[in-house]
Amino acid sequence: INMKDFFYHVEEQFSRVRPREKLVELVELKHAYVCGTVIYAKYKQKYASLFPDGFVGNGDEELSELSFKLGWNLFILAKAMLLGARGNLISSYHLLVCIFHFLLAHLPEEAQTSADFWAKLDKAVPPRCYPLPTHAQTELFSLLNASVDEVAKHEKAGIPTLIDELRSTLKLSASTARAEDGDG
């Protein structure tokens, strides 16, 4: 059964049991479903252009698929931690951009094969450097049609929390490469 039919039948059954009442939870579920579906489609599309060889860059199809799943699960974790069930489409999209930024910043050089991103940068980017230098962030946000202000809100408020959670869960040290951002 497709989701549209499912929602229709749930509403129909609820209206039989409780006529003249609205099923508020279903409205929220519909919103979450539509938002998740749209964001996943955008993730899939942008992942293909930003990470054509996955996170490893050796052409291994299985590792590329695992990279795809890891990136999506990282977004789901970030959304659950930072936006919860109330995240709207715009906030979710900008959080997705933050996750792409995070993933690109930690990408090994051999996996930096995206013609849509890496090839367009006019200055070098240090490997495994988060946050990316300003020129790279500007290119990324432009490529993804993201509002710099919206991304900045998530980057300041949520990404450090996500990084701390990942460090704790994965038992990693606190040392992280940072961009020496002399380019403005």
Side-chain angles (χ1 to χ4, degrees):
I1 184 169
N2 69 42
M3 290 305 290
K4 184 178 176 184
D5 291 341
F6 171 76
F7 290 137
Y8 172 78
H9 289 297
V10 168
E11 284 177 327
E12 182 181 47
Q13 294 305 316
F14 185 80
S15 68
R16 287 181 183 169
V17 175
R18 295 193 175 148
R20 295 181 294 278
E21 282 186 43
K22 272 280 198 201
L23 184 56
V24 177
E25 295 87 352
L26 190 62
V27 172
E28 292 173 5
L29 180 60
K30 283 180 182 180
H31 173 77
Y33 175 76
V34 169
C35 183
T37 301
V38 169
I39 293 297
Y40 181 76
K42 189 56 73 173
Y43 173 78
K44 192 174 178 180
Q45 174 195 19
K46 296 301 181 180
Y47 176 90
S49 69
L50 292 172
F51 306 98
D53 297 320
F55 301 154
V56 182
N58 65 2
D60 184 323
E61 191 69 32
E62 187 175 330
L63 286 176
S64 185
E65 186 177 325
L66 286 173
S67 297
F68 179 86
K69 290 177 181 178
L70 175 66
W72 179 248
N73 285 321
L74 184 59
F75 168 75
I76 295 299
L77 174 64
K79 185 176 182 309
M81 287 178 58
L82 307 174
L83 301 178
R86 302 216 185 270
N88 66 32
L89 188 59
I90 300 299
S91 292
S92 296
Y93 179 72
H94 285 91
L95 181 60
L96 179 63
V97 172
C98 293
I99 296 302
F100 280 139
H101 175 199
F102 180 80
L103 293 171
L104 286 166
H106 290 88
L107 205 58
E109 286 184 78
E110 57 273 11
Q112 296 176 359
T113 58
S114 171
D116 291 339
F117 179 68
W118 297 106
K120 292 183 179 179
L121 297 178
D122 56 352
K123 296 179 189 172
V125 174
R128 296 190 175 131
C129 172
Y130 182 80
L132 289 170
T134 302
H135 74 280
Q137 288 183 48
T138 301
E139 181 65 35
L140 177 63
F141 302 159
S142 174
L143 175 68
L144 299 176
N145 296 317
S147 163
V148 175
D149 293 336
E150 285 293 317
V151 172
K153 280 196 285 190
H154 291 300
E155 296 258 338
K156 283 183 183 176
I159 299 302
T161 304
L162 176 65
I163 291 171
D164 290 344
E165 178 67 24
L166 290 172
R167 279 191 187 123
S168 172
T169 302
L170 302 173
K171 297 175 180 33
L172 301 174
S173 70
S175 63
T176 308
R178 295 204 47 95
E180 295 302 323
D181 210 0
D183 64 344

